[in-house]
Amino acid sequence: MVHELAEYERAPDQCHLTVEQLASALFGPAPALFGHVAVDEQDEPIGFALWFLNFSTWAGVHGIYLEDLYVRPAARGSGAGRLLLATLAEICVRRGYRRLEWWMIDWNPAAGFYASIGAQQMSEWVPYRLSGDALHALAGQATTAGTRTGDRPGRVPDRGDEA
């Protein structure tokens, strides 16, 4: 379904996710990605939500960042998307998280649905992305700047480096 989502978002050539990568991210030794699958009456998958934790330094607590929400076209309007979002909202409330956040492509007709459940569009924050050559160029500066971050006293190890 992730590849179906990429096709829906007009970017199928940008989706390189494999079954093995998804399984490792969700079920590996230290999963940092979580997911829920919506199924129909025949137990067939009709939608999914993939998410991970973020953290608000101002609120001092975690929140959920919804990376992807997708409901297959034939199941749209069935309540599957609302149920997936309600499940994430329930996790937030139960765990004391203060936010459930996501991004949406500006042409997506789901904007009306999101507004109907009380979601507010964030207009004052501008998303940035560092990837590809620019990401590698900046990463190279971490060692060429003469500072080895791993040797600083008090540094909290990045557990992701061990995975």
Side-chain angles (χ1 to χ4, degrees):
M1 282 191 283
V2 172
H3 288 274
E4 291 176 30
L5 172 61
E7 189 170 324
Y8 174 77
E9 292 185 352
R10 305 172 188 162
D13 58 323
Q14 295 178 36
C15 185
H16 305 287
L17 179 73
T18 66
V19 171
E20 293 78 18
Q21 288 172 315
L22 185 59
S24 177
L26 288 167
F27 306 112
L33 178 70
F34 307 95
H36 297 271
V37 176
V39 297
D40 64 13
E41 298 79 25
Q42 291 77 38
D43 213 30
E44 292 296 319
I46 59 170
F48 72 90
L50 290 175
W51 58 277
F52 52 87
L53 295 179
N54 58 17
F55 187 81
S56 169
T57 54
W58 291 10
V61 297
H62 283 290
I64 287 179
Y65 181 81
L66 175 61
E67 177 65 22
D68 287 319
L69 176 68
Y70 178 72
V71 176
R72 288 185 160 147
R76 292 184 187 148
S78 69
R82 179 181 295 270
L83 184 57
L84 287 164
L85 286 171
T87 299
L88 298 184
E90 189 276 329
I91 292 169
C92 286
V93 170
R94 180 170 29 93
R95 294 182 183 178
Y97 302 162
R98 304 259 306 266
R99 298 178 180 161
L100 170 57
E101 300 176 310
W102 63 92
W103 289 2
M104 182 195 76
I105 290 179
D106 60 1
W107 53 260
N108 190 329
F113 163 63
Y114 295 147
S116 77
I117 62 171
Q120 298 174 346
Q121 182 177 352
M122 303 293 293
S123 59
E124 68 271 15
W125 294 94
V126 178
Y128 282 84
R129 176 176 293 156
L130 194 57
S131 62
D133 292 342
L135 176 67
H136 287 272
L138 185 59
Q141 294 176 27
T143 54
T144 60
T147 305
R148 294 182 53 202
T149 57
D151 294 340
R152 278 192 231 144
R155 180 181 181 272
V156 177
D158 179 356
R159 299 292 181 213
D161 290 345
E162 298 171 6

mmCIF file of all heavy atoms in Angstrom, residues 21-58:
data_model
loop_
_atom_site.group_PDB
_atom_site.id
_atom_site.type_symbol
_atom_site.label_atom_id
_atom_site.label_comp_id
_atom_site.label_asym_id
_atom_site.label_seq_id
_atom_site.Cartn_x
_atom_site.Cartn_y
_atom_site.Cartn_z
ATOM 1 N N GLN A 21 12.728 -3.810 4.159
ATOM 2 C CA GLN A 21 12.989 -2.563 4.885
ATOM 3 C C GLN A 21 11.848 -2.227 5.832
ATOM 4 O O GLN A 21 12.080 -1.834 6.981
ATOM 5 C CB GLN A 21 13.193 -1.408 3.904
ATOM 6 C CG GLN A 21 14.486 -1.449 3.136
ATOM 7 C CD GLN A 21 14.525 -0.389 2.065
ATOM 8 O OE1 GLN A 21 13.563 -0.182 1.331
ATOM 9 N NE2 GLN A 21 15.655 0.304 1.964
ATOM 10 N N LEU A 22 10.629 -2.377 5.366
ATOM 11 C CA LEU A 22 9.476 -2.076 6.214
ATOM 12 C C LEU A 22 9.406 -3.036 7.394
ATOM 13 O O LEU A 22 9.178 -2.613 8.532
ATOM 14 C CB LEU A 22 8.182 -2.115 5.402
ATOM 15 C CG LEU A 22 6.915 -1.712 6.145
ATOM 16 C CD1 LEU A 22 7.021 -0.291 6.694
ATOM 17 C CD2 LEU A 22 5.701 -1.843 5.230
ATOM 18 N N ALA A 23 9.635 -4.308 7.134
ATOM 19 C CA ALA A 23 9.607 -5.301 8.219
ATOM 20 C C ALA A 23 10.687 -5.000 9.258
ATOM 21 O O ALA A 23 10.434 -5.069 10.466
ATOM 22 C CB ALA A 23 9.780 -6.705 7.658
ATOM 23 N N SER A 24 11.867 -4.627 8.803
ATOM 24 C CA SER A 24 12.954 -4.299 9.726
ATOM 25 C C SER A 24 12.616 -3.061 10.545
ATOM 26 O O SER A 24 12.862 -3.018 11.755
ATOM 27 C CB SER A 24 14.245 -4.085 8.941
ATOM 28 O OG SER A 24 15.283 -3.694 9.803
ATOM 29 N N ALA A 25 12.052 -2.040 9.901
ATOM 30 C CA ALA A 25 11.709 -0.803 10.613
ATOM 31 C C ALA A 25 10.625 -1.036 11.653
ATOM 32 O O ALA A 25 10.653 -0.451 12.737
ATOM 33 C CB ALA A 25 11.264 0.262 9.615
ATOM 34 N N LEU A 26 9.661 -1.887 11.327
ATOM 35 C CA LEU A 26 8.537 -2.131 12.239
ATOM 36 C C LEU A 26 8.829 -3.197 13.296
ATOM 37 O O LEU A 26 8.336 -3.102 14.425
ATOM 38 C CB LEU A 26 7.301 -2.552 11.456
ATOM 39 C CG LEU A 26 6.609 -1.479 10.636
ATOM 40 C CD1 LEU A 26 5.597 -2.106 9.678
ATOM 41 C CD2 LEU A 26 5.926 -0.478 11.547
ATOM 42 N N PHE A 27 9.598 -4.228 12.926
ATOM 43 C CA PHE A 27 9.733 -5.390 13.799
ATOM 44 C C PHE A 27 11.170 -5.730 14.159
ATOM 45 O O PHE A 27 11.434 -6.775 14.732
ATOM 46 C CB PHE A 27 9.076 -6.610 13.134
ATOM 47 C CG PHE A 27 7.651 -6.359 12.727
ATOM 48 C CD1 PHE A 27 7.295 -6.311 11.384
ATOM 49 C CD2 PHE A 27 6.658 -6.146 13.675
ATOM 50 C CE1 PHE A 27 5.982 -6.074 10.995
ATOM 51 C CE2 PHE A 27 5.341 -5.902 13.297
ATOM 52 C CZ PHE A 27 5.011 -5.861 11.954
ATOM 53 N N GLY A 28 12.121 -4.849 13.822
ATOM 54 C CA GLY A 28 13.525 -5.093 14.151
ATOM 55 C C GLY A 28 13.772 -4.999 15.644
ATOM 56 O O GLY A 28 12.848 -4.771 16.437
ATOM 57 N N PRO A 29 15.029 -5.143 16.048
ATOM 58 C CA PRO A 29 15.360 -5.157 17.479
ATOM 59 C C PRO A 29 15.047 -3.860 18.214
ATOM 60 O O PRO A 29 14.764 -3.881 19.405
ATOM 61 C CB PRO A 29 16.863 -5.436 17.508
ATOM 62 C CG PRO A 29 17.332 -5.454 16.111
ATOM 63 C CD PRO A 29 16.168 -5.381 15.189
ATOM 64 N N ALA A 30 15.107 -2.723 17.533
ATOM 65 C CA ALA A 30 14.807 -1.434 18.182
ATOM 66 C C ALA A 30 13.910 -0.621 17.259
ATOM 67 O O ALA A 30 14.329 0.377 16.689
ATOM 68 C CB ALA A 30 16.100 -0.687 18.482
ATOM 69 N N PRO A 31 12.639 -1.026 17.122
ATOM 70 C CA PRO A 31 11.775 -0.321 16.172
ATOM 71 C C PRO A 31 11.560 1.136 16.568
ATOM 72 O O PRO A 31 11.370 1.458 17.732
ATOM 73 C CB PRO A 31 10.458 -1.093 16.219
ATOM 74 C CG PRO A 31 10.496 -1.882 17.479
ATOM 75 C CD PRO A 31 11.935 -2.075 17.833
ATOM 76 N N ALA A 32 11.640 2.004 15.552
ATOM 77 C CA ALA A 32 11.367 3.425 15.758
ATOM 78 C C ALA A 32 10.183 3.851 14.900
ATOM 79 O O ALA A 32 9.802 5.003 14.903
ATOM 80 C CB ALA A 32 12.597 4.251 15.416
ATOM 81 N N LEU A 33 9.609 2.912 14.171
ATOM 82 C CA LEU A 33 8.444 3.142 13.332
ATOM 83 C C LEU A 33 7.340 2.216 13.823
ATOM 84 O O LEU A 33 7.596 1.064 14.178
ATOM 85 C CB LEU A 33 8.769 2.822 11.863
ATOM 86 C CG LEU A 33 7.617 2.987 10.873
ATOM 87 C CD1 LEU A 33 7.273 4.469 10.696
ATOM 88 C CD2 LEU A 33 7.979 2.372 9.528
ATOM 89 N N PHE A 34 6.126 2.746 13.848
ATOM 90 C CA PHE A 34 4.994 1.981 14.331
ATOM 91 C C PHE A 34 3.882 2.064 13.302
ATOM 92 O O PHE A 34 3.835 3.007 12.505
ATOM 93 C CB PHE A 34 4.529 2.519 15.688
ATOM 94 C CG PHE A 34 5.668 2.596 16.672
ATOM 95 C CD1 PHE A 34 6.370 3.776 16.833
ATOM 96 C CD2 PHE A 34 6.051 1.482 17.394
ATOM 97 C CE1 PHE A 34 7.440 3.855 17.710
ATOM 98 C CE2 PHE A 34 7.122 1.542 18.274
ATOM 99 C CZ PHE A 34 7.818 2.733 18.432
ATOM 100 N N GLY A 35 2.993 1.098 13.304
ATOM 101 C CA GLY A 35 1.956 1.126 12.293
ATOM 102 C C GLY A 35 0.678 0.444 12.723
ATOM 103 O O GLY A 35 0.658 -0.374 13.649
ATOM 104 N N HIS A 36 -0.378 0.829 12.035
ATOM 105 C CA HIS A 36 -1.697 0.233 12.215
ATOM 106 C C HIS A 36 -2.263 -0.026 10.827
ATOM 107 O O HIS A 36 -2.050 0.760 9.903
ATOM 108 C CB HIS A 36 -2.624 1.179 12.982
ATOM 109 C CG HIS A 36 -2.140 1.455 14.369
ATOM 110 N ND1 HIS A 36 -2.483 0.679 15.440
ATOM 111 C CD2 HIS A 36 -1.315 2.408 14.845
ATOM 112 C CE1 HIS A 36 -1.893 1.152 16.522
ATOM 113 N NE2 HIS A 36 -1.176 2.203 16.178
ATOM 114 N N VAL A 37 -2.990 -1.118 10.702
ATOM 115 C CA VAL A 37 -3.610 -1.481 9.432
ATOM 116 C C VAL A 37 -5.111 -1.580 9.646
ATOM 117 O O VAL A 37 -5.565 -2.217 10.603
ATOM 118 C CB VAL A 37 -3.054 -2.819 8.900
ATOM 119 C CG1 VAL A 37 -3.776 -3.240 7.631
ATOM 120 C CG2 VAL A 37 -1.558 -2.720 8.649
ATOM 121 N N ALA A 38 -5.863 -0.939 8.766
ATOM 122 C CA ALA A 38 -7.327 -1.065 8.783
ATOM 123 C C ALA A 38 -7.701 -2.192 7.833
ATOM 124 O O ALA A 38 -7.134 -2.307 6.741
ATOM 125 C CB ALA A 38 -7.969 0.243 8.326
ATOM 126 N N VAL A 39 -8.640 -3.019 8.262
ATOM 127 C CA VAL A 39 -9.088 -4.137 7.427
ATOM 128 C C VAL A 39 -10.607 -4.061 7.252
ATOM 129 O O VAL A 39 -11.313 -3.473 8.065
ATOM 130 C CB VAL A 39 -8.687 -5.502 8.027
ATOM 131 C CG1 VAL A 39 -7.173 -5.650 8.088
ATOM 132 C CG2 VAL A 39 -9.290 -5.706 9.403
ATOM 133 N N ASP A 40 -11.085 -4.691 6.179
ATOM 134 C CA ASP A 40 -12.526 -4.718 5.928
ATOM 135 C C ASP A 40 -13.153 -5.948 6.581
ATOM 136 O O ASP A 40 -12.493 -6.672 7.337
ATOM 137 C CB ASP A 40 -12.820 -4.648 4.426
ATOM 138 C CG ASP A 40 -12.292 -5.842 3.648
ATOM 139 O OD1 ASP A 40 -11.904 -6.878 4.256
ATOM 140 O OD2 ASP A 40 -12.251 -5.762 2.403
ATOM 141 N N GLU A 41 -14.412 -6.194 6.283
ATOM 142 C CA GLU A 41 -15.148 -7.316 6.893
ATOM 143 C C GLU A 41 -14.549 -8.673 6.540
ATOM 144 O O GLU A 41 -14.725 -9.646 7.266
ATOM 145 C CB GLU A 41 -16.625 -7.288 6.472
ATOM 146 C CG GLU A 41 -17.386 -6.055 6.901
ATOM 147 C CD GLU A 41 -17.116 -4.844 5.991
ATOM 148 O OE1 GLU A 41 -16.754 -5.014 4.800
ATOM 149 O OE2 GLU A 41 -17.248 -3.719 6.491
ATOM 150 N N GLN A 42 -13.852 -8.754 5.409
ATOM 151 C CA GLN A 42 -13.200 -10.004 5.000
ATOM 152 C C GLN A 42 -11.753 -10.078 5.490
ATOM 153 O O GLN A 42 -10.998 -10.955 5.073
ATOM 154 C CB GLN A 42 -13.221 -10.160 3.463
ATOM 155 C CG GLN A 42 -14.592 -10.403 2.871
ATOM 156 C CD GLN A 42 -15.427 -9.126 2.806
ATOM 157 O OE1 GLN A 42 -14.911 -8.049 2.522
ATOM 158 N NE2 GLN A 42 -16.715 -9.252 3.094
ATOM 159 N N ASP A 43 -11.371 -9.170 6.365
ATOM 160 C CA ASP A 43 -10.033 -9.101 6.940
ATOM 161 C C ASP A 43 -8.967 -8.740 5.901
ATOM 162 O O ASP A 43 -7.798 -9.059 6.057
ATOM 163 C CB ASP A 43 -9.668 -10.406 7.653
ATOM 164 C CG ASP A 43 -8.768 -10.175 8.849
ATOM 165 O OD1 ASP A 43 -8.860 -9.101 9.479
ATOM 166 O OD2 ASP A 43 -7.945 -11.063 9.152
ATOM 167 N N GLU A 44 -9.388 -8.058 4.830
ATOM 168 C CA GLU A 44 -8.461 -7.592 3.796
ATOM 169 C C GLU A 44 -7.990 -6.178 4.143
ATOM 170 O O GLU A 44 -8.805 -5.330 4.519
ATOM 171 C CB GLU A 44 -9.140 -7.579 2.423
ATOM 172 C CG GLU A 44 -9.472 -8.956 1.890
ATOM 173 C CD GLU A 44 -8.241 -9.795 1.622
ATOM 174 O OE1 GLU A 44 -7.239 -9.256 1.107
ATOM 175 O OE2 GLU A 44 -8.268 -11.001 1.954
ATOM 176 N N PRO A 45 -6.692 -5.897 4.006
ATOM 177 C CA PRO A 45 -6.187 -4.558 4.319
ATOM 178 C C PRO A 45 -6.766 -3.503 3.381
ATOM 179 O O PRO A 45 -6.781 -3.687 2.172
ATOM 180 C CB PRO A 45 -4.678 -4.671 4.120
ATOM 181 C CG PRO A 45 -4.384 -6.080 3.786
ATOM 182 C CD PRO A 45 -5.653 -6.807 3.566
ATOM 183 N N ILE A 46 -7.242 -2.409 3.981
ATOM 184 C CA ILE A 46 -7.809 -1.319 3.179
ATOM 185 C C ILE A 46 -7.134 0.019 3.469
ATOM 186 O O ILE A 46 -7.370 0.997 2.767
ATOM 187 C CB ILE A 46 -9.330 -1.188 3.391
ATOM 188 C CG1 ILE A 46 -9.656 -0.934 4.868
ATOM 189 C CG2 ILE A 46 -10.052 -2.404 2.844
ATOM 190 C CD1 ILE A 46 -11.101 -0.552 5.123
ATOM 191 N N GLY A 47 -6.289 0.065 4.481
ATOM 192 C CA GLY A 47 -5.617 1.309 4.819
ATOM 193 C C GLY A 47 -4.557 1.091 5.878
ATOM 194 O O GLY A 47 -4.491 0.033 6.489
ATOM 195 N N PHE A 48 -3.729 2.108 6.059
ATOM 196 C CA PHE A 48 -2.681 2.008 7.074
ATOM 197 C C PHE A 48 -2.295 3.386 7.576
ATOM 198 O O PHE A 48 -2.539 4.404 6.917
ATOM 199 C CB PHE A 48 -1.446 1.281 6.533
ATOM 200 C CG PHE A 48 -0.644 2.087 5.539
ATOM 201 C CD1 PHE A 48 0.383 2.920 5.957
ATOM 202 C CD2 PHE A 48 -0.925 2.009 4.184
ATOM 203 C CE1 PHE A 48 1.117 3.668 5.033
ATOM 204 C CE2 PHE A 48 -0.204 2.750 3.259
ATOM 205 C CZ PHE A 48 0.818 3.583 3.692
ATOM 206 N N ALA A 49 -1.676 3.381 8.735
ATOM 207 C CA ALA A 49 -1.051 4.566 9.314
ATOM 208 C C ALA A 49 0.331 4.151 9.791
ATOM 209 O O ALA A 49 0.467 3.159 10.513
ATOM 210 C CB ALA A 49 -1.867 5.094 10.489
ATOM 211 N N LEU A 50 1.359 4.876 9.353
ATOM 212 C CA LEU A 50 2.727 4.657 9.823
ATOM 213 C C LEU A 50 3.157 5.911 10.573
ATOM 214 O O LEU A 50 2.975 7.023 10.078
ATOM 215 C CB LEU A 50 3.675 4.402 8.654
ATOM 216 C CG LEU A 50 3.492 3.075 7.925
ATOM 217 C CD1 LEU A 50 4.412 3.000 6.707
ATOM 218 C CD2 LEU A 50 3.757 1.908 8.861
ATOM 219 N N TRP A 51 3.713 5.737 11.756
ATOM 220 C CA TRP A 51 4.031 6.876 12.601
ATOM 221 C C TRP A 51 5.254 6.612 13.461
ATOM 222 O O TRP A 51 5.701 5.477 13.580
ATOM 223 C CB TRP A 51 2.839 7.233 13.484
ATOM 224 C CG TRP A 51 2.354 6.115 14.370
ATOM 225 C CD1 TRP A 51 1.498 5.098 14.028
ATOM 226 C CD2 TRP A 51 2.699 5.890 15.735
ATOM 227 N NE1 TRP A 51 1.295 4.270 15.105
ATOM 228 C CE2 TRP A 51 2.013 4.733 16.169
ATOM 229 C CE3 TRP A 51 3.511 6.564 16.634
ATOM 230 C CZ2 TRP A 51 2.124 4.227 17.462
ATOM 231 C CZ3 TRP A 51 3.619 6.077 17.928
ATOM 232 C CH2 TRP A 51 2.924 4.916 18.326
ATOM 233 N N PHE A 52 5.767 7.689 14.015
ATOM 234 C CA PHE A 52 6.874 7.591 14.964
ATOM 235 C C PHE A 52 6.726 8.705 15.992
ATOM 236 O O PHE A 52 5.895 9.604 15.834
ATOM 237 C CB PHE A 52 8.241 7.656 14.260
ATOM 238 C CG PHE A 52 8.424 8.832 13.344
ATOM 239 C CD1 PHE A 52 8.892 10.050 13.814
ATOM 240 C CD2 PHE A 52 8.127 8.714 11.985
ATOM 241 C CE1 PHE A 52 9.058 11.131 12.959
ATOM 242 C CE2 PHE A 52 8.303 9.783 11.126
ATOM 243 C CZ PHE A 52 8.766 10.990 11.614
ATOM 244 N N LEU A 53 7.515 8.619 17.050
ATOM 245 C CA LEU A 53 7.446 9.623 18.107
ATOM 246 C C LEU A 53 8.273 10.844 17.734
ATOM 247 O O LEU A 53 9.340 10.737 17.146
ATOM 248 C CB LEU A 53 7.969 9.064 19.430
ATOM 249 C CG LEU A 53 7.163 7.933 20.059
ATOM 250 C CD1 LEU A 53 7.832 7.480 21.349
ATOM 251 C CD2 LEU A 53 5.727 8.348 20.305
ATOM 252 N N ASN A 54 7.748 12.006 18.078
ATOM 253 C CA ASN A 54 8.530 13.229 18.043
ATOM 254 C C ASN A 54 8.565 13.763 19.476
ATOM 255 O O ASN A 54 8.076 13.106 20.394
ATOM 256 C CB ASN A 54 7.966 14.238 17.032
ATOM 257 C CG ASN A 54 6.532 14.622 17.305
ATOM 258 O OD1 ASN A 54 5.987 14.417 18.391
ATOM 259 N ND2 ASN A 54 5.888 15.190 16.305
ATOM 260 N N PHE A 55 9.157 14.912 19.674
ATOM 261 C CA PHE A 55 9.252 15.462 21.023
ATOM 262 C C PHE A 55 9.115 16.966 20.956
ATOM 263 O O PHE A 55 9.738 17.626 20.114
ATOM 264 C CB PHE A 55 10.601 15.101 21.662
ATOM 265 C CG PHE A 55 10.698 15.491 23.108
ATOM 266 C CD1 PHE A 55 10.138 14.699 24.095
ATOM 267 C CD2 PHE A 55 11.337 16.661 23.483
ATOM 268 C CE1 PHE A 55 10.211 15.062 25.432
ATOM 269 C CE2 PHE A 55 11.425 17.039 24.816
ATOM 270 C CZ PHE A 55 10.860 16.226 25.794
ATOM 271 N N SER A 56 8.315 17.514 21.830
ATOM 272 C CA SER A 56 8.162 18.958 21.929
ATOM 273 C C SER A 56 9.002 19.448 23.101
ATOM 274 O O SER A 56 8.712 19.114 24.265
ATOM 275 C CB SER A 56 6.698 19.343 22.157
ATOM 276 O OG SER A 56 6.612 20.715 22.508
ATOM 277 N N THR A 57 10.030 20.213 22.788
ATOM 278 C CA THR A 57 10.839 20.756 23.882
ATOM 279 C C THR A 57 10.058 21.781 24.685
ATOM 280 O O THR A 57 10.324 21.970 25.877
ATOM 281 C CB THR A 57 12.136 21.395 23.336
ATOM 282 O OG1 THR A 57 11.803 22.361 22.345
ATOM 283 C CG2 THR A 57 13.048 20.336 22.755
ATOM 284 N N TRP A 58 9.092 22.435 24.085
ATOM 285 C CA TRP A 58 8.290 23.418 24.821
ATOM 286 C C TRP A 58 7.296 22.749 25.743
ATOM 287 O O TRP A 58 7.098 23.173 26.874
ATOM 288 C CB TRP A 58 7.575 24.359 23.865
ATOM 289 C CG TRP A 58 8.504 25.289 23.146
ATOM 290 C CD1 TRP A 58 9.877 25.236 23.116
ATOM 291 C CD2 TRP A 58 8.137 26.405 22.360
ATOM 292 N NE1 TRP A 58 10.369 26.250 22.343
ATOM 293 C CE2 TRP A 58 9.317 26.998 21.870
ATOM 294 C CE3 TRP A 58 6.923 26.961 22.014
ATOM 295 C CZ2 TRP A 58 9.314 28.106 21.060
ATOM 296 C CZ3 TRP A 58 6.928 28.078 21.199
ATOM 297 C CH2 TRP A 58 8.111 28.645 20.736
#
